[in-house]
Amino acid sequence: MLDIKLIRENPSKIKEGCQKKRIEADIDKLLEVDRRRRELLREVEDLRAKRNDVSNSIPRVSEEEKEELISQMKKITVKIKKIEPELKKLEKEFTELMFQLPNMPLDDVPEGKDESENQVIRVWGEPQKFCFKPKNHLEIGRDLDLIDTERAAKVSGSRFGYLKNKAVLLEFALINFAFDILVKEGFTPLIPPVLLKEKAMRAMGYLERGEEEIYRTDRDNMYLVGTSEQSVGPMHMNEIFSLEELPRRYVAFSTCFRREAGSYGKDTRGIMRVHQFDKVEMFSFCEPSKSKGEHSYLLSMEEKIVQALKIPYRVVKMCTGDLGNPAAAKYDIECWMPGENQYRETHSTSNCTDFQARRLNIRFRGEKKGELEYVHTLNGTALAIGRTIIAILENYQREDGSIEIPLVLRPYMGGNTKIC
């Protein structure tokens, strides 16, 4: 949620930000509702103050005057009751309009309409030149009995898969590897809930735009997480950090669920784009003045992990039209996939500034006379397990059909050097 003071003082900047994100929002209507809401609120507060004054004077007057004052109080109460329904209606409309606004992009975010205008800012590693035609991950998975999407389709439908045999061991190796790195960096390990109340999911900013991607249980009105950050952020709802506690960093593992709405015909084979997948996610609460540096730090952790796996990748800076609602700035890491002969997204990291913190009411006590300020929240993918397994299978395949296990993962796989 944005600061209403910022909207009142500079509506043109908010309109510009919405336009850059390609999101329609009626700022003029919001300001008009806000004006009427504040007028009625002042009127109700004045009437309540007047009623209190009358009530306080009753014990000090004569019986005859008391009747007159009681009559005044009743009239004031009638006026308040007449105004309150309209005020309640305006409060609801104001909140709904505020929730429709996205976070504003930071000034250094490139403007663009969609992913085609994202900017590649650096490339690491050289794609391997194979002396044979490299297979894609599904071919490898079938040949080595690592992935079974056909039986998963019988059980759960399309866009599901079974991981089998050493692919399972590879997943747990990746999880332990990532946790070892990040726990040593001071991240608190976490396994969060995967079911969220509507209030928590809405506060994270994913329901106004993107609800079609989310699974919901009708009976209990609970939402399944599409990424761990959605349940990590709300854990400190309505709490106040001390300055010494920041940054507060978590590394969380969870199974995630996405409907993949609008992806008809895309990545239908294999486990690149599935309804259920596992992730290791970083999340940080930090001071506003340090969130840009924290964003760079989370990106550096992602790169450290991918570089240790020795998978070629590129870092992409997202344009305004590809940011999504909560993010003010975002980077993707795209790993090289030899079986597809292209780079594919495997990681992302977003700076959501105070957008989520305002909705969640998460603050810290700053240095200026102990005043309360909203924290900034950031998230970053340490590992999207399925996609990282794809990258390993395709980049580490050998001509004899085996898969070399990355050196850094071998201690987590009983010293095995290959999958065959």
Side-chain angles (χ1 to χ4, degrees):
M1 184 178 289
L2 300 180
D3 185 351
I4 185 60
K5 292 180 182 178
L6 175 64
I7 302 171
R8 291 171 191 155
E9 293 169 2
N10 203 343
S12 59
K13 184 175 180 64
I14 306 303
K15 291 177 182 179
E16 181 185 358
C18 291
Q19 186 177 18
K20 285 180 177 179
K21 278 198 163 186
R22 304 309 193 259
I23 291 174
E24 292 184 10
D26 195 336
I27 306 302
D28 294 331
K29 181 180 179 181
L30 168 63
L31 290 172
E32 175 59 21
V33 170
D34 176 51
R35 182 189 65 77
R36 287 162 49 209
R37 177 186 68 95
R38 286 190 291 161
E39 284 179 356
L40 284 184
L41 186 60
R42 278 194 297 268
E43 188 175 349
V44 168
E45 288 173 347
D46 290 345
L47 287 169
R48 285 172 178 162
K50 186 176 180 181
R51 184 174 63 182
N52 288 338
D53 290 341
V54 172
S55 177
N56 292 334
S57 63
I58 287 177
R60 300 190 298 271
V61 299
S62 65
E63 289 298 320
E64 186 178 329
E65 290 174 310
K66 277 183 183 179
E67 289 185 14
E68 174 62 27
L69 291 177
I70 290 170
S71 176
Q72 284 184 35
M73 285 180 60
K74 287 179 178 178
K75 289 178 182 178
I76 293 171
T77 300
V78 169
K79 286 184 179 179
I80 291 173
K81 287 183 177 180
K82 189 176 180 180
I83 295 170
E84 281 180 333
E86 178 64 18
L87 177 59
K88 187 176 180 181
K89 181 182 175 183
L90 286 171
E91 290 282 9
K92 182 180 178 182
E93 187 176 4
F94 171 76
T95 301
E96 288 174 352
L97 288 169
M98 285 291 287
F99 269 57
Q100 286 298 317
L101 297 181
N103 200 359
M104 295 294 99
L106 297 181
D107 292 338
D108 61 351
V109 174
E111 187 172 352
K113 62 181 184 298
D114 55 36
E115 62 183 15
S116 66
E117 297 186 68
N118 293 336
Q119 296 181 358
V120 176
I121 58 174
R122 61 177 166 272
V123 178
W124 184 91
E126 286 285 336
Q128 183 178 342
K129 290 182 170 64
F130 290 90
C131 61
F132 59 94
K133 183 182 178 181
K135 300 174 184 176
N136 63 47
H137 76 278
L138 186 56
E139 293 173 304
I140 297 168
R142 285 173 176 169
D143 291 347
L144 297 177
D145 199 21
L146 303 174
I147 300 169
D148 191 335
T149 56
E150 292 178 0
R151 289 189 174 92
K154 290 193 301 183
V155 174
S156 302
S158 62
R159 297 193 188 276
F160 287 92
Y162 286 103
L163 285 187
K164 300 170 65 179
N165 299 315
K166 286 188 179 177
V168 177
L169 304 183
L170 187 58
E171 163 152 349
F172 285 103
L174 285 164
I175 294 166
N176 287 317
F177 166 65
F179 267 77
D180 274 358
I181 288 176
L182 294 169
V183 169
K184 286 174 185 174
E185 284 282 329
F187 286 74
T188 300
L190 195 67
I191 296 180
V194 297
L195 281 167
L196 270 67
K197 295 178 180 178
E198 181 179 359
K199 180 181 179 182
M201 185 66 87
R202 188 171 300 280
M204 289 298 285
Y206 292 95
L207 293 187
E208 285 74 36
R209 291 170 190 85
E211 187 172 9
E212 70 281 355
E213 282 287 330
I214 304 172
Y215 283 103
R216 182 172 68 89
T217 63
D218 291 330
R219 179 177 295 178
D220 303 303
N221 195 29
M222 299 280 281
Y223 290 83
L224 284 162
V225 298
T227 173
S228 298
E229 79 213 40
Q230 292 167 347
S231 55
V232 177
M235 71 183 292
H236 289 292
M237 191 187 307
N238 299 321
E239 293 183 20
I240 297 172
F241 289 110
S242 66
L243 190 59
E244 293 73 27
E245 291 179 283
L246 300 177
R248 175 70 66 87
R249 296 168 178 154
Y250 291 99
V251 52
F253 168 81
S254 71
T255 297
C256 306
F257 307 87
R258 291 184 191 173
R259 295 186 63 247
E260 291 297 340
S263 64
Y264 179 79
K266 296 180 181 178
D267 301 312
T268 56
R269 301 173 71 249
I271 58 169
M272 174 62 74
R273 193 185 296 273
V274 288
H275 294 309
Q276 175 186 326
F277 55 96
D278 296 334
K279 282 182 75 179
V280 177
E281 187 80 16
M282 299 176 288
F283 197 95
S284 177
F285 302 90
C286 76
E287 296 173 63
S289 62
K290 297 180 179 178
S291 68
K292 280 194 173 183
E294 188 74 358
H295 197 193
S296 296
Y297 171 72
L298 293 185
L299 178 60
S300 75
M301 288 296 98
E302 293 178 344
E303 291 191 74
K304 181 177 182 178
I305 289 169
V306 183
Q307 287 178 14
L309 293 170
K310 299 191 182 304
I311 297 171
Y313 68 88
R314 64 186 186 183
V315 178
V316 180
K317 192 171 188 178
M318 316 305 280
C319 71
T320 54
D322 199 28
L323 282 183
N325 251 33
K330 182 180 178 183
Y331 297 99
D332 274 0
I333 288 179
E334 298 177 348
C335 284
W336 177 250
M337 306 292 187
E340 297 185 48
N341 197 38
Q342 63 176 321
Y343 289 97
R344 298 297 303 269
E345 179 206 338
T346 54
H347 300 66
S348 68
T349 178
S350 298
N351 183 354
C352 297
T353 60
D354 61 356
F355 183 80
Q356 294 170 329
R358 286 181 179 277
R359 292 170 168 232
L360 293 163
N361 192 33
I362 303 175
R363 297 170 292 173
F364 73 101
R365 203 169 292 282
E367 292 179 339
K368 298 178 182 178
K369 299 180 182 179
E371 292 179 2
L372 292 177
E373 301 176 52
Y374 288 102
V375 298
H376 280 195
T377 60
L378 303 96
N379 63 77
T381 313
L383 283 173
I385 305 296
R387 293 193 174 195
T388 305
I389 287 175
I390 291 172
I392 290 171
L393 294 181
E394 294 194 5
N395 281 279
Y396 280 87
Q397 60 182 298
R398 297 296 172 252
E399 190 171 11
D400 64 2
S402 67
I403 306 298
E404 183 182 345
I405 295 171
L407 194 61
V408 292
L409 297 183
R410 291 177 187 177
Y412 303 95
M413 294 192 68
N416 288 318
T417 60
K418 64 180 179 178
I419 299 171
C420 55

